Amino acid sequence: MLVNLLAICRSATALIVKRIKITAAVQNQLEGIFIQQEQMFVGGVTEEVPFDGGWSPDPHEHLVAQVTDEAAVIFAAAQGNIVAMPEVDPANFEAENIRALGVLVQRPTGPRLLLQEFSARQMLERRFSLILDGNTFNRLTQPAFAIGASLAGFVEGDKIKFQKFSRIKLIFNLTSLYQEATDTEVEGFCGLECINVGDIGKFKNLADQKMRKLINAITKRGTLNDFTPAQIQVAAADENFQIAVADGKIIIPSMKAEAKALLHFLDNGLYRGPLGGEIFITNSKRALTPMP
């Protein structure tokens, strides 16, 4: 049975599944493309790791998370009557707010919804694209889009399986999943003897995905084990960045912007311009010269 191309669209209130009408010939080609991408996705994977807030597993691992209510609704809808499914409006394609493309395949373990995240960059009519018209290339003006080169993940049973959180989160709202997965790590950070966050519960609510990612990086780097609060305070002062220390503990600010800036500093993520002296947040950890 040929696969059907599905669009996961975000409405004002929820995600919905729509069918993209394609020819039988294209259906046959799409089946081969998605199955090949599925084989690439699962090939070489020998271990499934429960999602713990990390963004990228090792090459031989998949991250696995319990399906959210939103993902469960989409998975069930994808298994429904394809004829009764609403269709994407080709004339109003850009306004459909497509978040993912998917196909449903049957496997010995049951149905599996293969997913690619979808972005505006895949809408070819937004670019100056050329299409062959007879013997001459003409500009593409009709709605057109490109299929992605790889899977972001798939839903199977009551699990979401993926390799990069940064991709799968473009499809589903996984904020609560990420926070739940990283709460233990945040609590461990709050319990360090060298810092004082005040109310742990309030700090957990304050900590967004970026802050949690920074906490993960700081913990892995061992910064707070390698340097004392006094040493960190002196290093910060040398960069005109103020860190409060009381009773031998670094005081984590209660304001999100200030707390995030402090976490950036602890992650070696602040940089002072050599000319103007202004402090910037870096987007790279690559050293200009190797450390001795």
Side-chain angles (χ1 to χ4, degrees), residues 81-158:
N81 185 350
I82 191 69
V83 177
M85 197 173 289
E87 296 177 357
V88 166
D89 180 6
N92 203 29
F93 189 82
E94 188 170 350
E96 291 284 2
N97 199 15
I98 298 175
R99 305 302 297 271
L101 300 176
V103 300
L104 187 74
V105 296
Q106 295 295 327
R107 295 294 173 257
T109 53
R112 176 182 289 177
L113 180 60
L114 309 178
L115 294 166
Q116 301 176 348
E117 78 273 35
F118 187 84
S119 72
R121 292 178 299 177
Q122 291 170 249
M123 291 190 280
L124 301 181
E125 76 276 13
R126 288 184 126 200
R127 305 179 181 184
F128 200 97
S129 302
L130 301 180
I131 185 171
L132 186 63
D133 183 8
N135 294 322
T136 307
F137 282 96
N138 196 4
R139 183 177 181 183
L140 175 66
T141 57
Q142 296 297 316
F145 63 94
I147 299 296
S150 62
L151 298 184
F154 60 79
V155 181
E156 184 176 49
D158 61 350

Side-chain angles (χ1 to χ4, degrees), residues 87 102 161 220 250 256 280:
E87 296 177 357
K161 301 183 180 182
K220 287 183 176 179
I250 295 173
K256 177 180 285 190
F280 302 96

Side-chain angles (χ1 to χ4, degrees), residues 1-3 25-40 103 105 107 114 147:
M1 182 177 180
L2 294 177
V3 300
V26 172
Q27 269 187 304
N28 188 55
Q29 291 176 305
L30 276 177
E31 183 177 23
I33 290 172
F34 272 85
I35 288 177
Q36 182 182 41
Q37 291 183 5
E38 178 191 21
Q39 292 170 345
M40 292 174 60
V103 300
V105 296
R107 295 294 173 257
L114 309 178
I147 299 296

Side-chain angles (χ1 to χ4, degrees), residues 214 217-218 221 223 262-270 285:
L214 288 167
I218 293 165
R221 184 172 285 110
T223 302
L262 173 57
L263 293 175
H264 272 294
F265 178 82
L266 295 176
D267 186 42
N268 282 330
L270 293 186
K285 294 294 188 299

Side-chain angles (χ1 to χ4, degrees), residues 195-208:
I195 66 168
N196 182 358
V197 302
D199 188 312
I200 294 178
K202 288 183 179 179
F203 182 76
K204 286 168 61 178
N205 291 332
L206 184 76
D208 57 16

Side-chain angles (χ1 to χ4, degrees), residues 171-211:
I171 303 173
F172 300 118
N173 182 357
L174 300 178
T175 301
S176 61
L177 177 67
Y178 185 80
Q179 290 180 342
E180 180 181 347
T182 55
D183 270 351
T184 300
E185 188 170 40
V186 172
E187 289 168 0
F189 176 81
C190 294
L192 294 174
E193 289 293 329
C194 59
I195 66 168
N196 182 358
V197 302
D199 188 312
I200 294 178
K202 288 183 179 179
F203 182 76
K204 286 168 61 178
N205 291 332
L206 184 76
D208 57 16
Q209 288 186 15
K210 181 61 180 179
M211 291 175 66

